[in-house]
Amino acid sequence: MVAKRYRHDCGMEVISLEAQDPENLFVAYFPTDAADDTGSAHIIEHSVLEGSEKFPVKDPFVCLLKSSVATFLNACTYSDRTLYPFTTCCKQDYFNLLEVYWDAVFHPRLSRDVLGQEGWHYEIQGRGKSRKLTINGIVYNEMSGYYSDPGTIIGRELEKGLFPHTSLRYDSGGVPEKIPTLTYPAFLRFHQSHHNPTVARVVLYGDIPTEEKLAVLERHLQEDLPRLPK
């Protein structure tokens, strides 16, 4: 295996691991240290998978599962980073997937409805006098279930106590009572500041020539850089 490291003028870093392995990997990596408990990184990770400028369909990744021969498709949020990886053994499929992933990550359709669906929204449940205003949302419900475990609460309190002056004092996944404080402008700002080429890190692996992969990345960068805020 040969490892090569590249740095684009815009700031993007690329690590290419050249190996005689037909299973080729692409990972877009973003530092997403949490500054609060609203779960911005987690909600963005869900939201970018809800369609993009070039692929304006709901759940494009579900469509990929039907047409691609990918061996792995995913998106993952950790305490200080978010990853969007895929692997495939087919060269054409690799570049097709790269097109979809790139557009999803950098040009998602982040509407208010997407925030409401993936993050949180108000809704009325019940009828008549039993009606009440409740909060719903995919990430909100997911984290409510996560925090229903006493072990989770104890672990979070320990982490906050051990690392009080770092981003680890916050939960990047979101704390249920804090998630509804995430506003739409803050949601957009988080994506703009954390999911742009200047802070991105990319990992490549497999037997497709590095030069071919870099050529595709360069084409996308030349299209995207003029659109970034000055």
Side-chain angles (χ1 to χ4, degrees):
M1 182 187 297
V2 176
K4 297 180 179 179
R5 181 172 179 266
Y6 303 86
R7 183 180 179 86
H8 194 272
D9 290 341
C10 74
M12 175 183 282
E13 293 187 5
V14 179
I15 299 294
S16 179
L17 305 174
E18 299 176 349
Q20 296 304 309
D21 187 342
E23 189 161 35
N24 282 265
L25 162 77
F26 171 88
V27 180
Y29 162 103
F30 301 92
T32 51
D33 296 276
D36 53 42
D37 287 316
T38 61
S40 301
H42 190 187
I43 296 172
I44 288 291
E45 177 228 308
H46 278 242
S47 299
V48 303
L49 308 182
E50 288 299 309
S52 62
E53 290 183 5
K54 292 182 180 178
F55 306 98
V57 296
K58 180 175 174 57
D59 296 327
F61 282 61
V62 174
C63 297
L64 284 177
L65 290 173
K66 299 176 182 177
S67 59
S68 170
V69 292
T71 51
F72 185 77
L73 293 171
N74 209 344
C76 317
T77 299
Y78 297 94
S79 59
D80 60 355
R81 62 200 183 279
T82 301
L83 280 67
Y84 300 90
F86 72 76
T87 60
T88 181
C89 295
C90 173
K91 183 175 181 179
Q92 185 59 54
D93 192 44
Y94 181 89
F95 289 112
N96 290 342
L97 290 168
L98 201 159
E99 293 286 328
V100 176
Y101 262 65
W102 187 280
D103 203 55
V105 169
F106 293 114
H107 308 294
R109 298 189 302 167
L110 300 180
S111 66
R112 289 181 181 273
D113 288 340
V114 169
L115 171 60
Q117 172 183 294
E118 302 300 326
W120 72 277
H121 64 272
Y122 290 115
E123 62 180 47
I124 296 176
Q125 291 186 347
R127 295 182 178 181
K129 294 182 179 181
S130 64
R131 287 188 303 173
K132 61 180 180 179
L133 187 66
T134 62
I135 297 174
N136 205 345
I138 293 174
V139 170
Y140 176 80
N141 291 334
E142 182 180 318
M143 296 310 295
S144 294
Y146 180 66
Y147 271 92
S148 66
D149 179 4
T152 295
I153 299 173
I154 293 172
R156 284 299 305 141
E157 291 302 316
L158 284 173
E159 200 163 31
K160 287 192 289 185
L162 289 170
F163 307 103
H165 304 298
T166 74
S167 63
L168 294 177
R169 68 186 185 276
Y170 301 116
D171 189 343
S172 63
V175 176
E177 58 266 29
K178 296 294 184 180
I179 289 174
T181 66
L182 177 63
T183 65
Y184 183 59
F187 171 69
L188 295 179
R189 285 196 301 271
F190 190 91
H191 179 266
Q192 291 166 357
S193 61
H194 292 81
H195 284 55
N196 73 70
T198 64
V199 297
R201 305 292 181 264
V202 172
V203 177
L204 311 172
Y205 170 86
D207 62 0
I208 298 175
T210 297
E211 292 73 17
E212 294 185 33
K213 296 175 180 176
L214 293 179
V216 174
L217 297 184
E218 178 64 20
R219 172 171 59 82
H220 282 298
L221 286 171
Q222 292 306 315
E223 294 173 354
D224 291 345
L225 292 179
R227 305 171 57 173
L228 292 177
K230 301 297 183 183

